[in-house]
Amino acid sequence: MSKRDYYDVLGVRRGAGAPEIRRAYRQLARQYSPDINLWDDRADGLFDEIAEAYRILGDPATRSLYDRLGHQAFEPPREGAADRAARGEDLHYPIEIEFEQALRGVPVVTEAARLEPCAVCDATGGAGGRRVVRCRVCQGRPVRIVVGNGELPVAARCEACRGAGWQVPEPCPACSGRGTVLRQFRLSVAIPPGVDTGAQIRVSGEGHAAPAPGVRGDLVVITRVRPHAFFTRKGDNLYCEVPITVPEAALGARIQIPTPDAAAMVTIPAGTQSGQIFRIRGKGCSRLDRGGRGDLLVVTRVVIPRNADSTLEEVLRTLQRLLPENPRAELWGRRGA
Ligand SMILES: [Zn+2]
Ligand SMILES: [Zn+2]
């Protein structure tokens, strides 16, 4: 089980003043005193937790160390302890890429400031690379609880470590005791084909460093894809609107259309309507999860001439005579309305 935050244990804010912390401790200590709660095993554990939290937060030196490094500050590295080690923060890196780059994939160079292990102290945070070690005098058990007759339990502190249980080295001057320093870094990241806006590409172990013996967080590249002039995307499918002339729509035609790869020829059948959709399989987006590609959906738009000259007008009037039917008749459920 992971340790609770000491501030949570005492129920105080991180910025709480020393008197507030002392008050919180005294109240909790009274409430959970093993002297009062003889019948309750849980109170015993709680009391130890409360006493430990106050041991750290009640002393400005250990409190500032705890604020910097958390529980880890008081857990000297041991063999096989790597899985309990602190993990650095993930580094979030937003990028903007072109539509085509998102379709095909693209290498991008990320460049940012990230926390690196401090070389001066070997990421320990202690001057000269010294680590926090258990107090040799009290072997890390600096407080003996002396319980009086129904009185508030009294804590007797080890003098050698001032009750901390640890010997805390001076902070490393290069990193102010943090164990890490901010440095600029560059890394090329391969954006896979098929990413959309909001995709997160996680590069394991390339985020911020943590103090020793911590491990790095991840670099998380978040994509925003710029819109395309004529392709739009819905899932893995691409849509594009293709204008066709009245004769092409009426008579049918073979026309050239754009696809993400190259222009392609498609056959428009006679009698094609505006807004009709033709599916071209496998010419859409790469699928990030399943492999393969989505489809390209071509939406036709019949272009009506705006300024008909006298010859064209004559043709259109002829067309009108040839098509006397009212196409809106069905809207009223009868013909010829
Ligand atoms: Zn350092
Ligand atoms: Zn001690």
Side-chain angles (χ1 to χ4, degrees), residues 56-107:
I56 300 300
L57 299 185
D59 184 311
T62 48
R63 183 181 175 185
S64 87
L65 194 73
Y66 178 71
D67 287 347
R68 286 203 308 268
L69 303 176
H71 289 304
Q72 189 198 323
F74 308 104
E75 290 165 3
R78 272 184 280 149
E79 218 81 48
D83 53 333
R84 292 188 304 111
R87 185 176 177 279
E89 298 274 319
D90 287 345
L91 174 58
H92 292 98
Y93 193 90
I95 56 161
E96 199 168 85
I97 55 175
E98 298 298 338
F99 197 87
E100 285 91 345
Q101 294 176 320
L103 292 182
R104 296 198 179 90
V106 63

Side-chain angles (χ1 to χ4, degrees), residues 118-123 125-126 172-177 179-180:
C118 174
V120 175
C121 62
D122 213 5
C172 163
C175 61
S176 309
T180 53

Side-chain angles (χ1 to χ4, degrees), residues 64-213:
S64 87
L65 194 73
Y66 178 71
D67 287 347
R68 286 203 308 268
L69 303 176
H71 289 304
Q72 189 198 323
F74 308 104
E75 290 165 3
R78 272 184 280 149
E79 218 81 48
D83 53 333
R84 292 188 304 111
R87 185 176 177 279
E89 298 274 319
D90 287 345
L91 174 58
H92 292 98
Y93 193 90
I95 56 161
E96 199 168 85
I97 55 175
E98 298 298 338
F99 197 87
E100 285 91 345
Q101 294 176 320
L103 292 182
R104 296 198 179 90
V106 63
V108 296
V109 175
T110 57
E111 206 169 354
R114 97 181 151 182
L115 291 174
E116 302 287 347
C118 174
V120 175
C121 62
D122 213 5
T124 60
R130 280 189 291 279
R131 295 169 188 272
V132 174
V133 289
R134 279 192 192 286
C135 172
R136 285 180 201 87
V137 175
C138 64
Q139 300 298 323
R141 301 195 64 85
V143 183
R144 284 176 298 117
I145 308 291
V146 184
V147 183
N149 307 323
E151 296 288 319
L152 192 63
V154 179
R157 304 205 310 175
C158 165
E159 289 306 314
C161 59
R162 291 188 301 153
W166 296 271
Q167 262 147 10
V168 180
E170 290 294 308
C172 163
C175 61
S176 309
R178 287 183 186 84
T180 53
V181 282
L182 212 50
R183 292 244 190 286
Q184 210 61 20
F185 87 109
R186 281 166 63 97
L187 183 73
S188 181
V189 176
I191 305 298
V195 295
D196 204 349
T197 289
Q200 299 197 349
I201 296 106
R202 190 171 281 273
V203 188
S204 175
E206 289 290 353
H208 292 293

